[in-house]
Amino acid sequence: WALNGVVVPQWLAEAPVQDIDAIEFAKIENVEIRREFIRKVGVEKLTHQLGAKVVDTTGDYELLLVDLKGETGAWPYLKMRNPSLGVWHMEAVPKGTETVQEALAWRNGGEFEHIQEMS
C-alpha cells in the first residue's frame, strides 16, 4: 500500500479519515509515513485530537507541544506552511525547544545549549 508514492501500512491507506485515531501518529517511527499520516488526517485534526498546545508563533510558523503519550510524552513540533505547495505540515524538533526561532535555527544547523538532542 502506498500514499503519494510512500509505502505505508495497509490500515493507513485503507481506513477512512474519520476512523483514524490521531494517537496512532505517535506509534509511527518513519518520518515519511508520518508525513503521509498528517497529509491524510490533516494537521488541524491531528493537533486537535492530540491536544497540542501552541507555545510560540511567528508568521506562518507555530511551535506546538504535542502530547504523544507513553514514554515519549510531550514533544515540540514546528508547524509550518510549505510555500511551494501551500499545505501545512509538522516536523519534530528537539525537546527543550521553546521558540519558533530556536526550532528554525535547529532545522538550519544552529544549536542552543538548553535543547536536548533528539533520540
Side-chain angles (χ1 to χ4, degrees), residues 18 20-25 37-38 41-54 62 64-69 77 79 90:
Q18 64 271 16
I20 298 176
D21 185 351
I23 199 63
E24 294 299 316
F25 176 79
F37 184 102
I38 294 170
V41 172
V43 170
E44 295 307 321
K45 179 180 177 179
L46 177 68
T47 55
H48 175 74
Q49 283 189 354
L50 293 176
K53 307 246 185 296
V54 177
E62 287 183 340
L64 306 174
L65 195 56
V66 180
D67 188 357
L68 298 175
K69 314 290 184 217
Y77 276 79
K79 177 182 166 187
M90 292 175 20

Side-chain angles (χ1 to χ4, degrees), residues 75-118:
W75 201 277
Y77 276 79
L78 182 62
K79 177 182 166 187
M80 60 199 123
R81 183 185 303 269
N82 180 318
S84 330
L85 303 173
V87 297
W88 290 95
H89 64 111
M90 292 175 20
E91 181 177 305
V93 295
K95 275 207 174 202
T97 303
E98 297 176 352
T99 67
V100 167
Q101 292 304 320
E102 289 176 353
L104 291 172
W106 177 81
R107 284 186 81 232
N108 295 322
E111 295 182 20
F112 289 89
E113 289 182 19
H114 71 277
I115 294 177
Q116 301 169 12
E117 283 302 312
M118 295 174 60

